[in-house]
Amino acid sequence: MTVSTSESKYKYIGTRPVRQDGLDKVTGRARFAADLNLPGMQHGIVVRSPHAHAKIVSIDTSKAEAMPGVKAVITAADFPALDPKNPLANISANLMARDKVLYEGHVVAAVAAETRSQARKAAAAVEVQYETLPHVLTVDEAMADGAVVLNEGVITRNAEPPATEPSNVSARTAAERGDLDAGFADADVVIEHEFTTVPVHQGYIEPHAAVADTKQDQTTNIWCSSQGHFRVQSQTAGMLGWEVSQVKVEPAEIGGGFGGKTTIYVEPLAAKLSEKSGRPVKIVMSRDEVFRATGPTSGTKIRVKIGAKNDGTLTAAEAWLAYESGAFPGIWAMLGSWCVFACYDVPNQKVEAFDVLVNKPVCIAYRAPSAPMAAFATETVLDEIAREIGMDPLELRLKNCAKEGDMGPMGAPHPRIGLKETLEAIRDSDHYQSDRPEGIGRGVAAGFWFNIGEQSSAQVTLNANGTAVVATGSPDIGGSRASMSLMAAETLGIEPGRIQPVVGDTDSVGFTDTTEGSRTTFASGMAVTEACKNLIEKLRARAAKMWECEVDEVEWADGEARHTKGENDALPLAAITGAAAKTGGPIAATASVNARGAGAGFSAQVCDLSVDQETGMTTIKRWTTAQDAGTAIHPSYVEGQMQGGVVQGIGWALNEEYIHNADGVMENPGFLDYRVPVASDLPMIDTIVVEVPNPFHPYGVRGVGEVGIVPPIACIANAVNDVAGVRIRNLPISPVRILSALTNGNGNS
């Protein structure tokens, strides 16, 4: 179902053509990084720390180097020591431990051999002596007085008062507006609670993989699974101490990412092993390695306090947030501080957030990073306020929802946004209007993600037969090839089937930022549209030459050149491209943009569920999600993104968690014990695509890939309370936790 604020004026945008890469993917012909095999290729295996925190006393690689088939062994000594002020210093130290290891799974060495079996045996023969150190695994432990400090060089940024001593708190973010005390004094109801969440993984099916072929002139070709091959290029070059021009990266197909493949893990290791061995080297992570050593999302501790009048007007809101960033500093608390109250117009508010180092893998983005945890707290407290004052929870949100002109979370007024429309779509849906059967609880929640623009490039080349090739630098992880072809088709006025979208390597297309932040359809689509407009100007000039008239006499419409004076018959695209050799040669155009004005994304959701009073087992019965897409370029893929976000949010709420023992060792590094939802766990997820066009995009696009994961945790928590009468404020909302709350009769866990 699509709810639009205006009638569609597009011919191709909003249609649902089959995606160009679909056949190869469903038949198994698509090539992923692990599928590539080169002549003479060696296999790389990484040696990882078994300890959560330990000094590296010594590393002896001699036995490994002497083993059959072994061609190269590397340690930190093979990489340049980067200045601590270098932005890549922490990335480099994460990929290869220096003086000490900071989490279980931290890399200490890597080997390359002729077979994986030989490489595994050689890796096991690398002798590392450790001196174990105390470790911290939660924000409470890390922030406690006297806690062991992970990094003596970390002094809290923006601390108040200014920090002078090393700390596990890497940064503080704070913002305040209005008069908080007056706002709470004006409230009839004030509710405050504390919430905790634990790290969860993105759960992509394809593990990290890369093949590197380093030549004697110290240039390397890398094939890898990544959301951003230009970032792979720059980060790999930086870690190796090379120029960016020495590294060429070719993007393979990507088997899921969700933010987890926006950085490097194995590419520089493969490149260095290839350099030392003189052979191409492939490294493919095991699932165990993916869980132990690649970025989960943050564990958090959040306190939220909200005041409201009896008529539902929110008067004040205060939040204190602490986000784990893993073993190195991150930006996750800052993002959480932007999102915690972003859905609502609260005149008086204060937010204080802290990024905290712990002995766990470095946290990395996961679909609207930091926002789901913040929404869990805010949306749960709002639900309690609605119950306290006897108000419908959706009406409470509608009464206070952010709208155009209200102050946004980053200090600027909102442009045209669609939160109100998404809330209304849920309110008016058959789901929300339906009666609930006995034993079914219903929960609602809303969510925000700010989306980003950044840099994108595109090239559009015309073939002699009037078909087109659209090349961008954005890896396709959600159907963006189809979206690019639809926007190109709309701009040029030709059928989408006559356009071939491709993802170019770092040598063949202009610089493009990573596929993240729901930016690709927005920013790369803007570059494609601009390139097509440039192409149209060239086509008009070619038509003018063919007609021997002025360019001003040529207009472009519906895929053909038309003579405004009517003296010449229209020239279809194929007629112009077919004569290109006689009018100036091949016809192509490029565009590069630094996109601004990414429209904020909002989602509102409602779920129905049951709770088994004897086991605490939760069963999702029905789910509806509404989301503002701005303009749904390809509605099928918008709906798919919405449903995917909900599914991952359900897993995050009910099942998923990193479990560490007392030694800081992860105990569930596999899909058997780390359980993600499967089809049998889920109902059909109904989608309502709301279209409130973004005024800053030629086709009104807003990002849709992330905000869908934000409301589900709170949605489920509110529904559980509705049916079972218990408030679960610590994730996951597992059967054990629900049963404990039911049994203890304390109404909270």
Coordinates of all heavy atoms in Angstrom, one line a residue, residues 636-714:
S636 N 8.9 -2.1 -4.7 CA 9.1 -3.4 -4.2 C 10.3 -3.4 -3.3 O 10.3 -4.1 -2.2 CB 9.3 -4.4 -5.4 OG 8.2 -4.6 -6.1
Y637 N 11.4 -2.7 -3.7 CA 12.6 -2.7 -2.9 C 12.4 -1.8 -1.7 O 13.1 -2.0 -0.6 CB 13.8 -2.3 -3.7 CG 13.9 -3.2 -4.9 CD1 14.2 -2.8 -6.2 CD2 13.6 -4.6 -4.7 CE1 14.3 -3.7 -7.2 CE2 13.7 -5.5 -5.8 CZ 14.0 -5.0 -7.1 OH 14.1 -5.9 -8.1
V638 N 11.6 -0.7 -1.8 CA 11.3 0.0 -0.6 C 10.6 -0.8 0.5 O 10.9 -0.9 1.6 CB 10.4 1.3 -0.9 CG1 9.9 2.0 0.3 CG2 11.2 2.2 -1.8
E639 N 9.6 -1.6 0.0 CA 8.8 -2.5 0.9 C 9.8 -3.5 1.5 O 9.7 -3.9 2.7 CB 7.7 -3.2 0.1 CG 6.6 -2.2 -0.3 CD 5.7 -2.7 -1.4 OE1 6.0 -3.8 -1.9 OE2 4.8 -2.0 -1.8
G640 N 10.7 -4.1 0.7 CA 11.7 -5.0 1.2 C 12.6 -4.5 2.2 O 12.9 -5.1 3.2
Q641 N 13.0 -3.2 2.1 CA 13.8 -2.6 3.1 C 13.0 -2.4 4.4 O 13.6 -2.6 5.5 CB 14.3 -1.2 2.6 CG 15.4 -1.3 1.5 CD 16.7 -1.9 2.0 OE1 17.1 -1.7 3.1 NE2 17.4 -2.6 1.1
M642 N 11.8 -2.0 4.2 CA 11.0 -1.8 5.4 C 10.8 -3.1 6.2 O 10.9 -3.2 7.4 CB 9.6 -1.2 5.0 CG 9.7 0.2 4.4 SD 8.1 0.7 3.6 CE 7.0 0.7 5.0
Q643 N 10.5 -4.2 5.4 CA 10.3 -5.5 6.1 C 11.6 -6.0 6.7 O 11.5 -6.6 7.8 CB 9.7 -6.5 5.0 CG 8.3 -6.1 4.6 CD 7.8 -6.9 3.4 OE1 8.7 -7.3 2.5 NE2 6.6 -7.2 3.3
G644 N 12.7 -5.8 6.0 CA 13.9 -6.3 6.5 C 14.3 -5.6 7.8 O 14.8 -6.3 8.7
G645 N 14.1 -4.3 7.9 CA 14.4 -3.6 9.1 C 13.6 -4.1 10.3 O 14.1 -4.3 11.4
V646 N 12.3 -4.4 10.0 CA 11.4 -4.9 11.1 C 11.9 -6.3 11.5 O 12.0 -6.5 12.8 CB 10.0 -5.0 10.6 CG1 9.1 -5.8 11.6 CG2 9.4 -3.6 10.4
V647 N 12.2 -7.2 10.6 CA 12.7 -8.5 11.0 C 13.9 -8.4 11.9 O 14.0 -9.1 12.9 CB 13.0 -9.3 9.7 CG1 13.7 -10.6 10.1 CG2 11.7 -9.6 9.0
Q648 N 14.9 -7.6 11.5 CA 16.1 -7.5 12.3 C 15.8 -6.8 13.7 O 16.4 -7.2 14.7 CB 17.2 -6.7 11.6 CG 17.7 -7.5 10.4 CD 18.8 -6.7 9.6 OE1 18.6 -5.6 9.2 NE2 19.9 -7.4 9.3
G649 N 14.9 -5.9 13.7 CA 14.4 -5.3 15.0 C 13.8 -6.4 15.9 O 14.0 -6.3 17.1
I650 N 13.0 -7.3 15.3 CA 12.3 -8.3 16.1 C 13.4 -9.2 16.7 O 13.3 -9.6 17.9 CB 11.4 -9.1 15.2 CG1 10.2 -8.3 14.8 CG2 11.0 -10.4 15.9 CD1 9.2 -8.9 13.8
G651 N 14.4 -9.6 15.9 CA 15.5 -10.4 16.4 C 16.2 -9.7 17.6 O 16.5 -10.4 18.6
W652 N 16.5 -8.5 17.4 CA 17.2 -7.7 18.4 C 16.4 -7.6 19.7 O 17.0 -7.7 20.8 CB 17.4 -6.3 17.8 CG 18.4 -5.4 18.5 CD1 18.8 -5.5 19.8 CD2 19.1 -4.3 17.9 NE1 19.7 -4.5 20.1 CE2 19.9 -3.7 18.9 CE3 19.0 -3.7 16.7 CZ2 20.7 -2.6 18.7 CZ3 19.8 -2.6 16.4 CH2 20.6 -2.0 17.4
A653 N 15.1 -7.5 19.5 CA 14.2 -7.3 20.7 C 14.1 -8.7 21.5 O 14.2 -8.7 22.7 CB 12.9 -6.9 20.3
L654 N 14.0 -9.8 20.8 CA 13.6 -11.0 21.4 C 14.7 -12.0 21.6 O 14.6 -12.8 22.6 CB 12.4 -11.7 20.6 CG 11.1 -10.9 20.5 CD1 10.2 -11.7 19.6 CD2 10.5 -10.7 21.9
N655 N 15.6 -12.1 20.7 CA 16.5 -13.3 20.8 C 18.0 -12.9 20.9 O 18.8 -13.6 21.6 CB 16.4 -14.1 19.5 CG 15.0 -14.6 19.3 OD1 14.2 -14.0 18.5 ND2 14.7 -15.7 19.9
E656 N 18.4 -11.9 20.1 CA 19.9 -11.8 19.8 C 20.6 -11.1 21.0 O 20.2 -10.1 21.6 CB 20.0 -11.0 18.5 CG 19.4 -11.7 17.3 CD 19.6 -10.9 16.1 OE1 20.7 -10.3 15.9 OE2 18.6 -10.8 15.3
E657 N 21.8 -11.6 21.2 CA 22.7 -11.0 22.2 C 24.1 -11.7 22.1 O 24.2 -12.9 21.9 CB 22.2 -11.1 23.6 CG 22.0 -12.6 24.1 CD 21.5 -12.6 25.6 OE1 21.9 -11.8 26.4 OE2 20.7 -13.5 25.9
Y658 N 25.1 -10.9 22.4 CA 26.5 -11.4 22.6 C 26.5 -11.9 24.0 O 26.2 -11.2 25.0 CB 27.5 -10.3 22.4 CG 28.1 -10.2 21.0 CD1 27.2 -10.4 19.9 CD2 29.4 -10.0 20.7 CE1 27.7 -10.3 18.6 CE2 29.9 -9.9 19.5 CZ 29.1 -10.0 18.4 OH 29.6 -10.0 17.1
I659 N 27.0 -13.1 24.2 CA 27.1 -13.7 25.6 C 28.6 -13.9 25.8 O 29.3 -14.7 25.1 CB 26.4 -15.0 25.7 CG1 24.9 -14.8 25.5 CG2 26.6 -15.6 27.1 CD1 24.0 -16.0 25.5
H660 N 29.2 -13.2 26.8 CA 30.6 -13.4 27.2 C 30.7 -14.1 28.6 O 29.9 -13.8 29.4 CB 31.3 -12.0 27.2 CG 31.5 -11.4 25.9 ND1 30.6 -10.6 25.3 CD2 32.6 -11.5 25.0 CE1 31.1 -10.2 24.1 NE2 32.3 -10.8 23.9
N661 N 31.7 -14.9 28.7 CA 31.9 -15.5 30.0 C 32.8 -14.5 30.9 O 33.1 -13.4 30.4 CB 32.5 -16.9 29.9 CG 34.0 -16.9 29.3 OD1 34.6 -15.8 29.3 ND2 34.4 -18.0 28.9
A662 N 33.1 -15.0 32.1 CA 33.8 -14.1 33.0 C 35.2 -13.7 32.4 O 35.8 -12.7 32.9 CB 34.0 -14.8 34.3
D663 N 35.8 -14.5 31.5 CA 37.1 -14.2 30.9 C 37.0 -13.3 29.7 O 38.0 -13.0 29.1 CB 37.8 -15.5 30.6 CG 38.2 -16.3 31.8 OD1 38.5 -15.7 32.8 OD2 38.1 -17.5 31.7
G664 N 35.8 -12.9 29.4 CA 35.6 -12.0 28.2 C 35.6 -12.7 26.9 O 35.8 -12.1 25.8
V665 N 35.3 -14.0 26.9 CA 35.3 -14.9 25.7 C 33.9 -15.1 25.3 O 33.0 -15.4 26.1 CB 36.0 -16.3 26.0 CG1 35.8 -17.2 24.8 CG2 37.4 -16.1 26.4
M666 N 33.6 -14.8 24.0 CA 32.2 -15.0 23.5 C 31.9 -16.4 23.5 O 32.6 -17.3 23.0 CB 32.1 -14.4 22.1 CG 30.7 -14.3 21.6 SD 30.5 -13.6 20.0 CE 28.8 -13.7 19.7
E667 N 30.7 -16.8 24.0 CA 30.2 -18.2 24.1 C 29.3 -18.6 23.0 O 28.9 -19.8 22.9 CB 29.6 -18.4 25.5 CG 30.6 -18.2 26.6 CD 30.1 -18.6 28.0 OE1 28.9 -18.3 28.2 OE2 30.8 -19.3 28.8
N668 N 28.8 -17.7 22.2 CA 27.8 -18.1 21.2 C 28.1 -17.5 19.8 O 27.3 -16.8 19.2 CB 26.4 -17.6 21.6 CG 26.3 -16.1 21.8 OD1 27.2 -15.4 22.1 ND2 25.1 -15.6 21.6
P669 N 29.4 -17.8 19.3 CA 29.8 -17.2 18.0 C 29.3 -18.0 16.8 O 30.2 -18.4 16.0 CB 31.3 -17.2 18.1 CG 31.6 -18.4 18.9 CD 30.5 -18.6 19.9
G670 N 28.0 -18.2 16.7 CA 27.5 -19.0 15.5 C 26.0 -18.9 15.5 O 25.4 -18.6 16.5
F671 N 25.4 -19.2 14.3 CA 24.0 -19.0 14.2 C 23.2 -20.1 14.9 O 22.0 -20.0 15.0 CB 23.6 -19.0 12.7 CG 23.9 -17.7 12.0 CD1 24.5 -17.6 10.7 CD2 23.7 -16.5 12.7 CE1 24.8 -16.4 10.1 CE2 24.0 -15.3 12.0 CZ 24.5 -15.2 10.8
L672 N 23.9 -21.1 15.4 CA 23.1 -22.1 16.2 C 22.8 -21.5 17.6 O 21.6 -21.6 18.1 CB 24.0 -23.4 16.4 CG 23.3 -24.5 17.2 CD1 22.0 -25.0 16.5 CD2 24.3 -25.6 17.4
D673 N 23.7 -20.8 18.2 CA 23.5 -20.3 19.6 C 23.2 -18.8 19.5 O 22.6 -18.3 20.5 CB 24.8 -20.5 20.4 CG 25.0 -22.0 20.6 OD1 24.0 -22.7 21.0 OD2 26.1 -22.4 20.5
Y674 N 23.6 -18.1 18.5 CA 23.2 -16.7 18.3 C 22.1 -16.8 17.3 O 22.3 -16.9 16.1 CB 24.4 -15.8 17.8 CG 24.0 -14.4 17.6 CD1 24.3 -13.4 18.5 CD2 23.3 -14.0 16.4 CE1 24.0 -12.1 18.4 CE2 23.0 -12.6 16.3 CZ 23.3 -11.7 17.2 OH 22.9 -10.4 17.0
R675 N 20.8 -16.7 17.8 CA 19.7 -17.0 17.0 C 19.0 -15.8 16.4 O 18.5 -15.0 17.1 CB 18.7 -17.8 17.8 CG 17.6 -18.5 16.9 CD 16.7 -19.4 17.7 NE 15.7 -20.0 16.9 CZ 14.6 -19.4 16.5 NH1 14.3 -18.2 16.8 NH2 13.7 -20.0 15.7
V676 N 19.1 -15.7 15.0 CA 18.3 -14.7 14.3 C 17.0 -15.2 13.9 O 16.8 -16.4 13.8 CB 19.1 -14.2 13.1 CG1 20.5 -13.6 13.5 CG2 19.3 -15.3 12.1
P677 N 16.0 -14.4 13.7 CA 14.7 -14.8 13.3 C 14.7 -15.5 11.9 O 15.5 -15.1 11.0 CB 13.8 -13.6 13.2 CG 14.6 -12.5 13.9 CD 16.0 -12.9 13.8
V678 N 13.9 -16.6 11.8 CA 13.7 -17.2 10.5 C 12.3 -17.1 10.1 O 11.5 -16.6 10.8 CB 14.2 -18.7 10.5 CG1 15.7 -18.8 10.8 CG2 13.4 -19.5 11.6
A679 N 12.0 -17.5 8.9 CA 10.6 -17.3 8.3 C 9.5 -17.8 9.3 O 8.5 -17.2 9.4 CB 10.5 -17.9 6.9
S680 N 9.7 -18.9 9.9 CA 8.7 -19.5 10.7 C 8.5 -18.8 12.0 O 7.5 -19.0 12.7 CB 9.1 -21.0 11.0 OG 10.3 -21.0 11.7
D681 N 9.4 -17.8 12.3 CA 9.2 -17.0 13.5 C 8.3 -15.8 13.3 O 8.0 -15.1 14.2 CB 10.6 -16.5 14.0 CG 11.5 -17.6 14.5 OD1 11.0 -18.6 15.1 OD2 12.7 -17.5 14.2
L682 N 8.0 -15.5 12.0 CA 7.5 -14.2 11.6 C 6.1 -14.3 11.0 O 5.8 -15.2 10.2 CB 8.4 -13.5 10.7 CG 9.9 -13.4 11.2 CD1 10.8 -13.1 10.1 CD2 9.9 -12.2 12.2
P683 N 5.3 -13.2 11.2 CA 4.1 -13.1 10.4 C 4.4 -12.4 9.1 O 5.5 -12.0 8.8 CB 3.2 -12.2 11.2 CG 4.2 -11.3 11.9 CD 5.4 -12.1 12.1
M684 N 3.4 -12.3 8.2 CA 3.6 -11.4 7.0 C 3.6 -10.0 7.6 O 2.8 -9.6 8.4 CB 2.4 -11.6 6.0 CG 2.5 -10.6 4.8 SD 4.1 -10.8 3.9 CE 3.8 -12.4 3.2
I685 N 4.6 -9.2 7.1 CA 4.8 -7.8 7.6 C 4.1 -6.9 6.6 O 4.6 -6.8 5.4 CB 6.3 -7.5 7.8 CG1 6.8 -8.4 8.9 CG2 6.4 -6.0 8.2 CD1 8.3 -8.4 9.0
D686 N 3.1 -6.3 6.9 CA 2.4 -5.4 6.0 C 3.1 -4.0 6.0 O 3.5 -3.5 7.0 CB 0.9 -5.2 6.5 CG 0.1 -6.5 6.4 OD1 0.3 -7.2 5.5 OD2 -0.7 -6.7 7.3
T687 N 3.2 -3.5 4.8 CA 3.9 -2.2 4.6 C 3.0 -1.1 4.1 O 2.1 -1.4 3.3 CB 5.1 -2.3 3.7 OG1 4.6 -2.8 2.4 CG2 6.1 -3.4 4.2
I688 N 3.1 0.1 4.6 CA 2.5 1.3 4.1 C 3.6 2.3 3.7 O 4.3 2.8 4.6 CB 1.5 1.9 5.1 CG1 0.5 0.9 5.6 CG2 0.8 3.1 4.5 CD1 -0.4 1.4 6.8
V689 N 3.7 2.5 2.4 CA 4.8 3.4 1.9 C 4.2 4.8 1.8 O 3.3 5.0 1.0 CB 5.3 3.0 0.5 CG1 6.4 3.9 0.1 CG2 5.8 1.5 0.6
V690 N 4.6 5.7 2.7 CA 4.2 7.0 2.7 C 5.1 7.9 1.8 O 6.3 7.7 1.9 CB 4.2 7.6 4.1 CG1 3.8 9.1 4.2 CG2 3.2 6.8 5.0
E691 N 4.6 8.8 1.0 CA 5.4 9.6 0.1 C 5.2 11.1 0.4 O 4.2 11.6 0.0 CB 5.1 9.2 -1.3 CG 5.5 7.8 -1.7 CD 5.3 7.6 -3.2 OE1 4.1 7.7 -3.7 OE2 6.3 7.3 -3.9
V692 N 6.1 11.6 1.1 CA 6.2 13.1 1.3 C 7.5 13.5 0.7 O 8.5 13.4 1.3 CB 6.1 13.4 2.8 CG1 6.2 14.9 3.0 CG2 4.9 12.9 3.5
P693 N 7.4 14.0 -0.5 CA 8.7 14.2 -1.3 C 9.7 15.1 -0.6 O 9.3 16.1 0.0 CB 8.2 14.8 -2.6 CG 6.8 14.3 -2.8 CD 6.2 14.3 -1.3
N694 N 10.9 14.7 -0.7 CA 12.0 15.5 -0.1 C 12.3 16.7 -1.1 O 12.7 16.4 -2.3 CB 13.3 14.6 0.0 CG 14.5 15.4 0.4 OD1 14.4 16.6 0.9 ND2 15.7 14.8 0.4
P695 N 12.1 17.9 -0.7 CA 12.3 19.0 -1.6 C 13.7 19.2 -2.1 O 13.9 20.0 -3.1 CB 11.8 20.2 -0.8 CG 12.1 19.8 0.6 CD 11.8 18.3 0.7
F696 N 14.7 18.5 -1.6 CA 16.1 18.7 -2.0 C 16.6 17.7 -2.9 O 17.8 17.6 -3.2 CB 17.0 18.8 -0.7 CG 16.6 19.9 0.2 CD1 15.9 19.6 1.4 CD2 16.9 21.2 0.0 CE1 15.6 20.6 2.3 CE2 16.5 22.2 0.8 CZ 15.9 21.9 2.0
H697 N 15.7 16.8 -3.4 CA 16.1 15.8 -4.4 C 15.3 16.0 -5.7 O 14.1 16.3 -5.6 CB 15.9 14.4 -3.9 CG 16.5 13.3 -4.7 ND1 15.8 12.8 -5.8 CD2 17.8 12.8 -4.7 CE1 16.6 11.9 -6.3 NE2 17.8 11.8 -5.7
P698 N 15.9 15.8 -6.9 CA 15.1 16.0 -8.1 C 13.8 15.1 -8.2 O 12.9 15.5 -8.9 CB 16.1 15.7 -9.2 CG 17.2 15.0 -8.6 CD 17.3 15.5 -7.2
Y699 N 13.9 14.0 -7.6 CA 12.7 13.1 -7.6 C 12.1 12.9 -6.2 O 11.3 11.9 -6.0 CB 13.1 11.7 -8.3 CG 13.3 11.9 -9.7 CD1 14.6 11.6 -10.3 CD2 12.4 12.4 -10.6 CE1 14.8 11.7 -11.6 CE2 12.6 12.6 -12.0 CZ 13.8 12.2 -12.5 OH 14.1 12.4 -13.8
G700 N 12.5 13.7 -5.2 CA 11.9 13.6 -3.9 C 12.3 12.5 -3.0 O 11.7 12.2 -2.0
V701 N 13.5 11.9 -3.3 CA 13.9 10.7 -2.6 C 14.3 11.0 -1.1 O 15.0 12.0 -0.9 CB 15.1 10.1 -3.3 CG1 15.8 9.0 -2.5 CG2 14.6 9.5 -4.6
R702 N 13.9 10.1 -0.2 CA 14.5 10.0 1.1 C 15.1 8.6 1.3 O 14.6 7.7 0.6 CB 13.4 10.2 2.2 CG 12.7 11.6 2.2 CD 11.7 11.6 3.3 NE 10.8 12.8 3.1 CZ 11.0 14.0 3.5 NH1 12.1 14.2 4.2 NH2 10.2 15.0 3.3
G703 N 16.1 8.5 2.1 CA 16.6 7.1 2.3 C 15.6 6.3 3.1 O 14.8 6.8 3.9
V704 N 15.6 5.0 2.7 CA 14.6 4.1 3.3 C 15.3 2.9 4.0 O 14.6 2.0 4.6 CB 13.6 3.6 2.3 CG1 12.8 4.8 1.7 CG2 14.3 2.8 1.2
G705 N 16.6 2.7 3.9 CA 17.2 1.4 4.3 C 17.3 1.3 5.8 O 17.6 0.1 6.3
E706 N 17.2 2.3 6.6 CA 17.6 2.2 8.0 C 16.5 2.4 9.1 O 16.5 1.7 10.1 CB 18.8 3.2 8.3 CG 20.0 2.8 7.4 CD 21.1 3.7 7.7 OE1 21.9 3.4 8.6 OE2 21.3 4.7 6.9
V707 N 15.7 3.4 8.9 CA 14.8 3.8 10.0 C 13.8 2.7 10.4 O 13.3 2.6 11.5 CB 14.0 5.1 9.6 CG1 13.0 4.9 8.6 CG2 13.4 5.7 10.9
G708 N 13.6 1.7 9.5 CA 12.7 0.6 9.8 C 13.1 -0.2 11.0 O 12.2 -0.9 11.6
I709 N 14.4 -0.3 11.3 CA 14.8 -1.1 12.4 C 14.7 -0.3 13.8 O 14.8 -1.0 14.8 CB 16.3 -1.5 12.2 CG1 16.6 -2.7 13.1 CG2 17.2 -0.3 12.5 CD1 18.0 -3.2 12.9
V710 N 14.3 0.9 13.7 CA 14.3 1.7 15.0 C 13.1 1.4 15.9 O 13.3 1.2 17.1 CB 14.4 3.2 14.6 CG1 14.4 4.1 15.9 CG2 15.6 3.5 13.8
P711 N 11.9 1.4 15.4 CA 10.7 1.2 16.3 C 10.5 -0.2 16.9 O 9.9 -0.3 17.9 CB 9.5 1.6 15.5 CG 10.1 2.4 14.3 CD 11.4 1.8 14.1
P712 N 11.0 -1.3 16.2 CA 10.5 -2.6 16.7 C 10.8 -3.0 18.1 O 9.9 -3.6 18.7 CB 11.2 -3.6 15.7 CG 11.4 -2.8 14.5 CD 11.7 -1.4 14.9
I713 N 11.9 -2.6 18.6 CA 12.2 -3.0 20.0 C 11.2 -2.5 21.0 O 10.6 -3.2 21.8 CB 13.6 -2.6 20.4 CG1 14.7 -3.2 19.5 CG2 13.9 -3.0 21.9 CD1 16.1 -2.7 19.8
A714 N 10.9 -1.2 20.9 CA 9.9 -0.5 21.8 C 8.5 -1.0 21.5 O 7.7 -1.2 22.4 CB 10.0 1.0 21.6

